[in-house]
Amino acid sequence: MLSNEVQRLIINDVKEAPFYSVMADTTPDISHKDCLAICVRYPRNGEAVERLLEVAEGKDKTGLGTGTEIIDILTKNSLCTNNLAFQSYDYASNMSGSINGAQANVSKIVGHNVIYIPCQAHRINTFIEHGSSNKRYSILCKEMSDLDNVLQLRNLSKTTWTARAESIKAVWCSFEAICDSLHYISSHQDAYDRMTRTKAHETLETKHLSLVDAATLIDTTIKILEEINLDTNSMNNLIDSAIAFSTTLGINPENDFKIHHRHKKPPTWLDKNSKTQVEFNMHTFYRKEFKCVLSTFINLSKDNLKKCIDVILPLYKLFSVPFKKEDISIENVKNALLLFPPNSSLAKCKDAEAVQAELEILRSLEIKPDLTTANIFEKCEEIKHILPLAKTVCDLALTAPVSVATNERTFSKLKLIKTHLRSTISDSRLNSLMILSIEKDVVDKLNLSNIVNNWASLKNRRIQLL
């Protein structure tokens, strides 16, 4: 009854929004069932809200089967599919396929184009999967050598973020060495660059991040990487710091480099001026290696960013910062109106000039050096009664999902709720417990007296409870 009430409140919240998006992901549970987590994202009071709608067993992993299950869950919960604006899944072929994937089948089933936005967190995660630092890893190996029965750290997963007992055991057995290593990195400022020390701190994801801001952040990251790729002095400093650290461990990197990377000069009968060849030393070699890695990462990120922006290009131009008046052109406004789902008030709007005028007024109210997309949305919420058309466009931009991180957090709860001691729990009870655990902020606001009264009236009891 508690979970039903929470679900009812979430569904009513979604129905009050002009449109919503759906995010889905699957993971196997302890009983080897595929769990399909369906989350919804919708605008409310100038912010994006993400909620778990339902957890069900995924019985068909094909694109058509998964797409049908997603729509069935939305329909079962009385959500109108005509208000479905966006969908977001990971890069698995059964989900992202443009012909037979779930995203293509969802659009076919609902009868209109539901814009697919790939999970940005999952995509970036694949780029940096193998980007661990050998320099930091050597510290950990040194600390672990002083301990008994330690295990090498291992990745949770190469493609998904599922937890594994072996990974947790490795962290547990090597916990002391990990702590000592992180302390060493953060305290030895002379041997390590600022970026390396900063990476020892944790970063957090947010549900309220808009896709426009996410694209801007990715673009900024690419620019920073390009600057690093061009900064020869910083690369030399990184190499010098690695040499200094190796020396403290009794390693002579210069000699090792000469042994493994000895530069062979051509014989004089081939090149009489071989001494004039370009200098080849340790710094030259490792700068080249750094540049190869950075160039690959930059190119992959650029390609991903272009695909992400192309999906919502009109909205990106309307709300990206810094402010440019030419971005709010009548062409961009008309293209943005094409992104609205069928039931939206602006889906068939013929007065694009009115929308353009309201957006120009909104942007003119928020011109400052530190302007962000969030500032624009907040301002629009304050004056939504004056600019109703601009408010609807802002809501659409907020509805566009960035990642399926909410689904991944759901799976973290799944591992805590459905354990080997509760492996036979029914799907209905599992769904109820998942909703109560994940949407705790909604549960805390429930009127328990009403729920108790409803429970008491379900059947005749020996003791009168009312």
Side-chain angles (χ1 to χ4, degrees):
M1 294 183 69
L2 286 169
S3 67
N4 288 342
E5 181 63 16
V6 172
Q7 209 166 16
R8 185 187 67 82
L9 293 175
I10 292 174
I11 291 171
N12 288 341
D13 221 14
V14 178
K15 287 180 178 180
E16 290 178 4
F19 22 72
Y20 66 96
S21 60
V22 64
M23 301 165 291
D25 202 0
T26 61
T27 191
D29 61 19
I30 194 68
S31 62
H32 306 292
K33 284 184 178 180
D34 246 351
C35 280
L36 175 65
I38 304 295
C39 297
V40 289
R41 179 184 172 109
Y42 54 95
R44 186 182 66 186
N45 299 329
E47 286 187 342
V49 180
E50 293 183 1
R51 296 289 187 189
L52 173 65
L53 183 64
E54 188 172 324
V55 176
E57 181 183 358
K59 298 180 180 179
D60 189 345
K61 295 199 71 172
T62 65
L64 177 59
T66 305
T68 302
E69 289 173 352
I70 292 172
I71 298 304
D72 287 346
I73 289 175
L74 295 178
T75 305
K76 185 180 73 173
N77 288 282
S78 305
L79 294 181
C80 179
T81 56
N82 283 336
N83 292 335
L84 182 58
F86 300 98
Q87 53 181 327
S88 182
Y89 321 115
D90 59 25
Y91 268 80
S93 58
N94 67 318
M95 304 297 285
S96 63
S98 59
I99 298 176
N100 296 319
Q103 60 109 347
N105 284 286
V106 165
S107 295
K108 292 177 184 177
I109 295 170
V110 301
H112 70 271
N113 181 34
V114 182
I115 301 170
Y116 168 60
I117 300 174
C119 173
Q120 295 304 299
H122 185 273
R123 189 59 169 167
I124 297 298
N125 184 60
T126 60
F127 296 160
I128 63 174
E129 181 64 40
H130 303 288
S132 61
S133 167
N134 293 331
K135 182 172 62 174
R136 296 192 292 272
Y137 187 71
S138 62
I139 303 174
L140 182 60
C141 291
K142 180 177 181 298
E143 295 292 341
M144 292 170 71
S145 64
D146 298 330
L147 300 177
D148 296 327
N149 301 321
V150 296
L151 297 175
Q152 291 292 339
L153 297 184
R154 61 189 68 190
N155 203 329
L156 292 179
S157 174
K158 292 296 181 185
T159 55
T160 59
W161 305 326
T162 55
R164 295 181 179 177
E166 294 85 358
S167 302
I168 302 303
K169 185 178 180 181
V171 173
W172 175 257
C173 295
S174 310
F175 187 73
E176 182 180 349
I178 296 170
C179 291
D180 291 341
S181 300
L182 291 175
H183 176 72
Y184 185 93
I185 291 173
S186 59
S187 59
H188 286 67
Q189 299 187 7
D190 295 334
Y192 288 89
D193 56 288
R194 178 178 58 82
M195 186 175 295
T196 300
R197 298 195 306 272
T198 304
K199 292 296 287 184
H201 298 279
E202 196 69 33
T203 57
L204 300 176
E205 294 180 350
T206 175
K207 295 181 179 180
H208 306 301
L209 183 67
S210 70
L211 188 58
V212 176
D213 279 336
T216 304
L217 289 173
I218 296 173
D219 184 48
T220 303
T221 303
I222 293 173
K223 291 177 180 177
I224 293 174
L225 290 173
E226 288 176 334
E227 292 176 1
I228 295 174
N229 200 23
L230 297 174
D231 193 346
T232 303
N233 291 332
S234 294
M235 287 189 184
N236 288 337
N237 291 336
L238 285 171
I239 298 169
D240 289 336
S241 66
I243 293 173
F245 177 72
S246 300
T247 304
T248 62
L249 298 178
I251 300 172
N252 191 329
E254 292 283 353
N255 288 342
D256 288 344
F257 178 80
K258 290 178 181 178
I259 292 173
H260 297 290
H261 303 285
R262 184 168 62 91
H263 185 55
K264 296 182 180 180
K265 294 183 179 181
T268 54
W269 62 273
L270 281 178
D271 186 0
K272 295 182 180 180
N273 299 317
S274 59
K275 294 182 180 180
T276 62
Q277 287 188 349
V278 66
E279 182 184 0
F280 182 80
N281 54 32
M282 181 182 293
H283 289 76
T284 305
F285 175 80
Y286 283 109
R287 279 202 310 270
K288 179 178 73 71
E289 296 296 313
F290 286 154
K291 285 180 176 291
C292 287
V293 175
L294 285 172
S295 297
T296 301
F297 186 77
I298 290 170
N299 291 334
L300 289 172
S301 299
K302 280 184 175 180
D303 182 62
N304 172 67
L305 179 62
K306 183 179 184 301
K307 291 179 180 178
C308 174
I309 291 178
D310 285 347
V311 174
I312 57 157
L313 187 58
L315 292 176
Y316 181 78
K317 288 183 177 180
L318 291 176
F319 294 108
S320 60
V321 291
F323 169 71
K324 295 179 182 178
K325 188 174 181 180
E326 58 269 20
D327 286 339
I328 309 182
S329 63
I330 190 64
E331 182 182 359
N332 283 340
V333 172
K334 288 181 178 180
N335 290 333
L337 295 179
L338 297 175
L339 301 178
F340 283 85
N343 270 16
S344 172
S345 59
L346 291 184
K348 298 180 181 179
C349 179
K350 297 181 180 180
D351 194 0
E353 289 80 5
V355 180
Q356 180 189 23
E358 290 194 10
L359 288 171
E360 287 179 346
I361 294 172
L362 174 64
R363 293 298 296 264
S364 65
L365 295 174
E366 285 290 308
I367 300 179
K368 51 185 180 181
D370 57 345
L371 176 68
T372 65
T373 307
N375 298 141
I376 299 174
F377 295 150
E378 290 171 5
K379 189 65 177 179
C380 189
E381 180 65 24
E382 294 176 8
I383 56 174
K384 60 183 178 182
H385 57 289
I386 302 175
L387 305 175
L389 300 178
K391 173 67 168 61
T392 306
V393 180
C394 288
D395 284 343
L396 183 66
L398 283 169
T399 305
V402 178
S403 71
V404 294
T406 300
N407 303 71
E408 297 292 347
R409 285 188 280 266
T410 298
F411 297 148
S412 298
K413 290 290 184 182
L414 173 66
K415 300 297 187 289
L416 298 176
I417 294 174
K418 190 170 183 178
T419 65
H420 67 281
L421 296 176
R422 293 194 291 263
S423 60
T424 58
I425 188 173
S426 67
D427 293 342
S428 175
R429 182 174 176 80
L430 175 63
N431 179 59
S432 297
L433 292 175
M434 292 281 287
I435 290 175
L436 292 177
S437 177
I438 293 165
E439 306 300 344
K440 188 178 181 299
D441 59 324
V442 181
V443 177
D444 292 340
K445 297 176 183 178
L446 292 179
N447 188 331
L448 295 182
S449 298
N450 292 342
I451 296 177
V452 169
N453 291 336
N454 292 336
W455 173 77
S457 61
L458 287 178
K459 62 180 181 180
N460 294 327
R461 305 179 188 275
R462 293 182 179 179
I463 300 175
Q464 188 64 31
L465 298 177
L466 295 177

